[in-house]
Amino acid sequence: MTNAKKTVVVGVTGGIAVYKALDVISKLKKKDFEVHVIMTESATRFVTPLSFQSLSQNIVNSDMFSEPKAWEIQHISLAKRADLIAVIPATANIIGKVANGIADDLLSTTIMATKAPVVFAPAMNTNMYNNPIVRDNINKLQNLGYKFINPASGRLACGDEGEGKLADTELISEYIQSMMYDKKDLQGKKVLVTAGPTIAQIDPVRYITNRSSGKMGYAIAEEARDRGAEVTLICGATSLAAPFGIEVVSSRTNEEMLKEVLDRFNEQDIVIKAAAVADYKPKQYSDRKIKKAEEELNLTFIKDNDILKKLGTLKNNQILVGFAAESNDLLENAQKKLHNKNLDYIVANDITAVDTGFASDNNKVTIICRDGKTIHLDKMSKRQVASRLFDLMK
Ligand code: CTP
């Protein structure tokens, strides 16, 4: 991702979660964003501006009428400079002010004066958050195009349990990066991705599966989301956390995955099958746990559905992408799959490579296009592989 030179103005308002905004700023700095901080007067009572200044590496702005440090009027210059304004944490007060056109301090005037997108990460007591006045204000702002990162549920600083905890700082930083992503070429497109291993159940306690972690499919889904697509991720048995802004559908077996994919296939623009689908299942599922008996245990397996092949026969205008996991004759085998399954692209993976592939964050792949064009990519992050794949579809 290229965030260099992009400016995020972080508005910090007065709540106990103020200290967590420091963590978000640190994460944004690590991703190369330029960060400017505006603190409200009450925020400065929780954490001193010095901490924010040190992490953002910029003077913290809080007073509208302070001696200007440059010739520009502060709220106008920050409003213009911002590529995005993020209010972390956002109190009921700042939400109420912006929703009702009140601009009486540096943060509210900057928000009022900006043309940049504004995102609020609310944090407050549950009863405040559920107060119909706050809800009305949030709805009103959402209808006007302001974004909200919903608070989490849990034990709040005041001792109450419920919704109102500031969302996870990792999630907030990812949300901001997603909004600021340079490429938005999938806006208006529907993308379906499958990820992770399926399982084939043997008896109530045993199943067979494979080593796929699902990371490649998740990276593809996140790339598509950040480029503006409406994304559905149909995942097998992965333990990865559901990414924000993506509809995640769980399916454990080949049959379940087939059903979930077919239910949605017609409405998609792009379908990418990164899942490692089990090709065989036990001929007979035993309802009872198989007991230890003879020295040898033989199980018979029968072929299961080839989901991608089926999609290849049904496809009309969808761009269809498959993966080829190979231990030998990589390109030859991948090419065969591209044609047999009627694909537009196939991403060939050498599963014997150390350091890439299964469970790794990196991958080294070759992408083959329908017209025979072959693109060898060096080892790179799975997210970068995803980006190169979508670049090809332009
Ligand atoms: N695939 C599928 N259904 C299956 C098997 C595979 O949809 N039953 C999809 C995978 O998601 C992948 C592509 O087909 O996109 C190729 O999967 P791969 O496991 O590499 O190949 P197979 O078709 O299973 O062939 P083989 O096991 O002989 O390599």
Side-chain angles (χ1 to χ4, degrees), residues 41 45 85 108 111 216 225 269 313 340 345 374 389 392:
E41 218 278 308
R45 308 231 176 161
I85 298 181
S108 49
I111 293 175
M216 190 62 241
R225 173 201 65 200
D269 297 294
T313 63
N340 291 345
Y345 301 91
T374 301
L389 179 62
L392 278 175

Side-chain angles (χ1 to χ4, degrees), residues 192-194 232-236 247-268 271 273 305 307 311:
L192 184 144
V193 183
T194 67
T232 307
L233 176 62
I234 298 182
C235 56
E247 188 202 359
V248 180
V249 180
S250 289
S251 61
R252 283 165 66 77
T253 63
N254 175 315
E255 206 174 331
E256 282 170 19
M257 186 173 277
L258 175 71
K259 181 183 179 306
E260 298 298 352
V261 172
L262 288 183
D263 281 354
R264 296 165 177 82
F265 186 60
N266 273 336
E267 70 222 34
Q268 303 302 321
V271 174
K273 282 229 69 229
N305 310 292
I307 304 175
L311 298 183

